Amino acid sequence: MPKARKVFVGNYKGGVGKTTSIYQIALHMVEAGKKVLLIDLDPQCSLSEICLARTNIDLDKLKENECLNYVYDIWLQKKEYPSLHVTLDKKPLIKETDEGIHFIPSNIFYRRGGLDDLAQMLKDEFYDLLALQQFFQSSHIEDDFDYILFDCPPSNTIITQGAFLLSDYYIIPSIIQTMSVRGVVHYIKTVDKIYQTQCVDAENSTLAKALFGEKPELLGIFETLKKGTANYDTVMNDLKKDLTKAKIETLLSPIGGEKYVFDTVIHNYEHIARATANGQKVEEYKELTKEIMICIEQKPIKTLIYSGGKRWLK
Ligand SMILES: Nc1ncnc2c1ncn2[C@@H]1O[C@H](COP(=O)(O)OP(=O)(O)O)[C@@H](O)[C@H]1O
Ligand SMILES: [Mg+2]
């Protein structure tokens, strides 16, 4: 049974600390003895650059089959030959940093374009949503890891939608200020709609659900880049009200009951940016990682019924 828990980290707002957080969380998960795979879905490949710097490989030296772009490129080219079976070798795709984080880079220098170019070549249809799911299914990549984390760009494409549908859970890092939190509710509604459209309302929703499984669950929101001691209690209360009003279900708190926001707050500290750019771990993310892992691990065990990387509640 595939054991990896797949977690999507996203927010349509850029610069809220998604990439920084995902890298730091991965370091702390590795420290806790977990096997972690990061998948960079961002065409700008910041996460890939941070990770590659810890492997001594340059982004522009990556071979064609050493980045995520290759998975989508093969998918696109193969469409012309429906009866053709191509088995992708996952080994060249997965790199490992000196600290023991595994990752699949995205490559802006890829011959047939960055992930945004490839996303445009994919059609806005069910079949193309399956590119990543089919790769997961055939490569059994989930068997090799405890956690697979997706770093998402602030855009909504067939590539991000496919990764979202494939995920078991998602997390939203956000700056807690009036303008930024509005985006959180909008984000949750958008991802809910993607699931509703493909796996509930579509004519082939039975097939879609058989391949993608249940709707990814919102694990929670965490506050990033908090400046000084500014108090945003009202904003936070408004956010919770909005989430309740929108009937958004979320995570159980480790102490029971529902809560939307993780306890740990990540402050805006120069050293966090600097350390991450150098690939180093910062202690600020230790508690947050613990909270996230506790939340995930107390979730009901899901069992695989079909072979599609799909999970159903027992
Ligand atoms: N806690 C933090 N304190 C200070 N700077 C941070 C912190 N988190 C992220 N940054 C910086 O803020 C910028 C945006 O962060 P990043 O993780 O790239 O966000 P995103 O992936 O959401 O676009 C980067 O320059 C990063 O170094
Ligand atoms: Mg980013």
Side-chain angles (χ1 to χ4, degrees):
M1 180 177 115
K3 58 175 181 158
R5 314 272 200 140
K6 303 178 289 290
V7 187
F8 181 93
V9 181
N11 187 329
Y12 288 145
K13 211 167 155 54
V16 295
K18 290 185 292 292
T19 300
T20 303
S21 300
I22 212 167
Y23 181 73
Q24 288 295 336
I25 290 167
L27 281 175
H28 284 283
M29 284 177 162
V30 168
E31 191 186 60
K34 304 292 180 188
K35 274 202 89 179
V36 183
L37 175 69
L38 301 182
I39 300 189
D40 191 358
L41 297 171
D42 194 333
Q44 298 301 316
C45 31
S46 324
L47 180 65
S48 306
E49 287 187 305
I50 295 170
C51 292
L52 281 168
R54 309 296 302 157
T55 60
N56 294 322
I57 311 170
D58 287 335
L59 192 61
D60 57 357
K61 299 280 178 339
L62 284 179
K63 295 198 193 82
E64 192 169 57
N65 63 348
E66 291 182 312
C67 58
L68 188 63
N69 309 51
Y70 181 70
V71 173
Y72 295 100
D73 193 11
I74 290 284
W75 177 265
L76 278 161
Q77 295 193 36
K78 196 181 66 167
K79 272 173 95 174
E80 310 253 330
Y81 312 96
S83 59
L84 199 66
H85 288 282
V86 188
T87 311
L88 291 192
D89 185 1
K90 63 185 166 184
K91 269 210 210 98
L93 287 169
I94 302 174
K95 305 287 166 213
E96 184 177 354
T97 71
D98 295 343
E99 290 75 21
I101 297 176
H102 292 81
F103 67 102
I104 301 182
S106 132
N107 190 356
I108 205 163
F109 302 111
Y110 190 77
R111 190 177 60 90
R112 295 231 304 156
L115 284 182
D116 43 356
D117 300 304
L118 291 161
Q120 279 187 7
M121 289 185 231
L122 293 163
K123 293 264 171 5
D124 186 14
E125 60 186 30
F126 172 68
Y127 187 73
D128 278 350
L129 279 173
L130 295 172
L132 194 62
Q133 187 276 338
Q134 290 288 293
F135 166 63
F136 267 54
Q137 184 172 324
S138 59
S139 65
H140 301 284
I141 200 164
E142 288 165 78
D143 297 354
D144 307 337
F145 299 96
D146 298 305
Y147 293 102
I148 298 180
L149 311 178
F150 297 101
D151 185 17
C152 277
S155 56
N156 185 4
T157 66
I158 284 289
I159 290 183
T160 57
Q161 289 184 13
F164 170 72
L165 290 171
L166 189 60
S167 300
D168 302 302
Y169 312 103
Y170 67 108
I171 301 179
I172 307 177
S174 178
I175 298 171
I176 305 292
Q177 284 166 4
T178 322
M179 289 311 285
S180 337
V181 296
R182 275 189 204 139
V184 170
V185 180
H186 169 75
Y187 188 78
I188 297 170
K189 285 186 176 164
T190 309
V191 291
D192 273 5
K193 203 168 142 205
I194 296 166
Y195 187 82
Q196 180 76 23
T197 307
Q198 300 298 337
C199 298
V200 181
D201 296 340
E203 221 166 288
N204 63 351
S205 60
T206 319
L207 175 63
K209 202 170 171 192
L211 293 164
F212 286 121
E214 296 186 0
K215 186 168 89 176
E217 290 172 71
L218 173 66
L219 282 187
I221 298 150
F222 66 86
E223 181 173 0
T224 52
L225 287 155
K226 188 180 177 76
K227 280 207 177 123
T229 50
N231 190 329
Y232 287 105
D233 281 354
T234 349
V235 180
M236 192 67 97
N237 285 335
D238 286 350
L239 170 67
K240 287 180 185 163
K241 260 190 239 152
D242 282 353
L243 292 168
T244 316
K245 204 165 84 195
K247 293 203 169 54
I248 288 161
E249 287 171 17
T250 182
L251 259 217
L252 311 173
S253 100
I255 48 164
E258 287 235 323
K259 66 170 195 177
Y260 294 108
V261 184
F262 288 105
D263 292 333
T264 313
V265 171
I266 305 296
H267 290 263
N268 188 327
Y269 292 144
E270 226 294 295
H271 79 267
I272 297 184
R274 201 172 345 111
T276 306
N278 295 326
Q280 291 156 354
K281 187 165 65 198
V282 297
E283 285 311 299
E284 280 80 356
Y285 277 91
K286 195 182 181 83
E287 283 307 309
L288 179 65
T289 309
K290 235 192 249 170
E291 274 192 80
I292 292 172
M293 293 201 302
I294 289 172
C295 280
I296 294 178
E297 276 154 31
Q298 71 176 357
K299 290 281 180 186
I301 301 294
K302 296 177 178 184
T303 322
L304 192 87
I305 297 177
Y306 299 116
S307 57
K310 138 192 171 40
R311 290 154 183 271
W312 295 91
L313 286 174
K314 248 186 198 160

